[in-house]
């Protein structure tokens, strides 16, 4: 009884920690209110949860990251928030899918500074340890991405347990 309660509490804590990390992307974009037209950062921030939903296309967050830079500019703070979105984990519904989806459109993201960044994936997926280490590393130093989709870069760096999505 005690053990069950403890495990449930621990699982809830893990779930909240992972959910909170997605909320961080929205907060990072929201914080860019000094850039772009009045209200633009808030509007873009409000669009971040939708592109991270399990049902959203894996390419949608890359398009939104490009849009963030297009509307707010290339200040390092803007690029950092957009990069955070590119690297963000898309929600994952284990009862509907066994493995993550990653965008296979080589034209995305179009912003040069956002290329070569690979996304976090659900830590329960086989191979996620490699991918999540790669994701963190790519935010520091992006991987080579000339002519490659995010899916291509991901595979080149050693993680291939995902479904392509154009
Ligand atoms: C991919 O991940 C799923 C879910 O973790 C796992 O069941 C499967 O064995 C993995 N496939 C490969 C080829 O690693």
């Amino acid at each position: 009884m005690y053990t069950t309660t403890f495990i449930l509490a621990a699982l809830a804590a893990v779930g909240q920690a992972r959910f909170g990390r997605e909320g961080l992307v929205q907060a990072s974009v929201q914080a860019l209110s000094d850039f772009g037209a009045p209200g633009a950062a808030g509007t873009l921030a409000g669009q971040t949860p939708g592109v991270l939903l399990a049902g959203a296309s894996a390419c949608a967050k890359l398009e939104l990251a490009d849009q963030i830079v297009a509307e707010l500019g290339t200040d390092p703070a803007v690029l950092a928030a957009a990069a955070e979105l590119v690297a963000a984990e898309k929600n994952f519904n284990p009862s509907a899918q066994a493995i993550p989806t990653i965008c296979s459109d080589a034209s995305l993201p179009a912003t040069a500074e956002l290329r070569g960044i690979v996304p976090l994936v659900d830590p329960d997926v086989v191979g996620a340890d490699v991918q999540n280490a790669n994701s963190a590393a790519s935010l520091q130093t992006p991987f080579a991405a000339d002519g490659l989709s995010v899916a291509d870069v991901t595979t080149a760096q050693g993680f291939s347990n995902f479904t392509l999505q154009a």
Side-chain angles (χ1 to χ4, degrees):
M1 191 66 176
Y2 172 84
T3 306
T4 306
T5 307
F6 175 78
I7 289 170
L8 288 177
L11 286 174
V14 169
Q16 275 168 11
R18 302 191 56 236
F19 181 80
R21 201 163 55 188
E22 289 158 14
L24 286 179
V25 178
Q26 183 170 4
S28 297
V29 178
Q30 185 81 46
L32 301 172
S33 56
D34 285 350
F35 305 97
T43 302
L44 292 162
Q47 291 173 261
T48 57
V51 297
L52 295 175
L53 291 176
S57 163
C59 298
K61 73 190 177 96
L62 306 180
E63 291 171 335
L64 181 58
D66 279 335
Q67 196 184 338
I68 288 169
V69 176
E71 289 192 30
L72 306 183
T74 53
D75 185 275
V78 174
L79 291 173
E84 198 181 332
L85 178 58
V86 173
E89 180 185 331
K90 203 160 86 66
N91 277 325
F92 183 75
N93 179 358
S95 63
Q97 60 184 133
I99 56 176
T101 53
I102 297 184
C103 182
S104 62
D105 183 340
S107 69
L108 294 172
T111 308
E113 293 91 333
L114 299 179
R115 294 185 63 83
I117 296 168
V118 296
L120 294 166
V121 297
D122 188 298
D124 288 342
V125 172
V126 171
D129 49 346
V130 170
Q131 176 64 5
N132 290 338
N134 284 345
S135 178
S138 71
L139 278 176
Q140 303 302 317
T141 307
F143 294 118
D146 273 3
L148 303 180
S149 68
V150 174
D152 292 330
V153 176
T154 297
T155 305
Q157 299 303 324
F159 177 73
S160 55
N161 198 4
F162 62 86
T163 306
L164 298 172
Q165 197 164 44

